[in-house]
Structures are given as C-alpha cells and as structure tokens.
Amino acid sequence: MLSHSLDHAVLTLTVHRSPGIAGRAELVSRIEGLIHGYKPGLVVITLEEAANENAAVSVVLRAHRVCNELGIPMSVVTASASVRRVLEASAETSGHLLAVHPHADHAVAAAFDAAA
C-alpha cells in the first residue's frame, strides 16, 4: 500500500492503493512514523491512480498537518484533477501551504522553491 525513499533530505512516499476506511489509521500511523523518524527537509506524497479515494485524501491532509507542526514543506502528486481540487480546498492554510501537482518533478521543484 505504501512505499518510501529518502534522497537528499526529500522523503518521497507513494500510496499505491486506497487504504479504505478500515486501513486509514494504519496508513496515517506509518506515514507519521516515517516523517518523525527521518525528519526530512521536504515530503512528497504521490497518490497513484488506485489511491485516489476519500480515505487516501484524508491521510494526505493529516500528513500535511504533521508536516506543518514540524515545519516541513509538503507536496502532493496526483493525476486526478478532482482530487487535486479537493486537496487544495481542504488543506490547512497556516504554516507551509500544501503544493498539489499533477507531476512529481513539479512537486519537488515547487516545494524547494517554497522552502527557500
């Protein structure tokens, strides 16, 4: 359901499928553990096509709150325009704004620009 990598202080998380309502808490816990464990300079979460559902969106929004609490910029990548709109409309507006992009390379570049 989740894979991750750390490269040059960028924690990249990929959600491969939706956790559903029952798996949402477990996914949140895993993502929070990775963020707290690595303490990266930037977090990028990619929602693959099979993950573009409400449960995964709520997990991303929770991860954004955690990142804001830690002062870590975060970006999200999803090809779904409707999911991008929901994330943009629902994200916290205090702290680092949530950058939402259709492509990973744009997400990383924008997050680094925002952190600079």
Side-chain angles (χ1 to χ4, degrees), residues 53-88:
E53 294 181 3
N54 289 339
V57 169
S58 70
V59 168
V60 168
L61 293 171
R62 174 65 187 140
H64 182 235
R65 285 191 292 279
V66 169
C67 286
N68 266 343
E69 291 168 4
L70 297 172
I72 300 169
M74 184 178 136
S75 292
V76 180
V77 178
T78 177
S80 171
S82 62
V83 171
R84 287 195 305 272
R85 284 190 298 273
V86 169
L87 287 167
E88 289 168 344

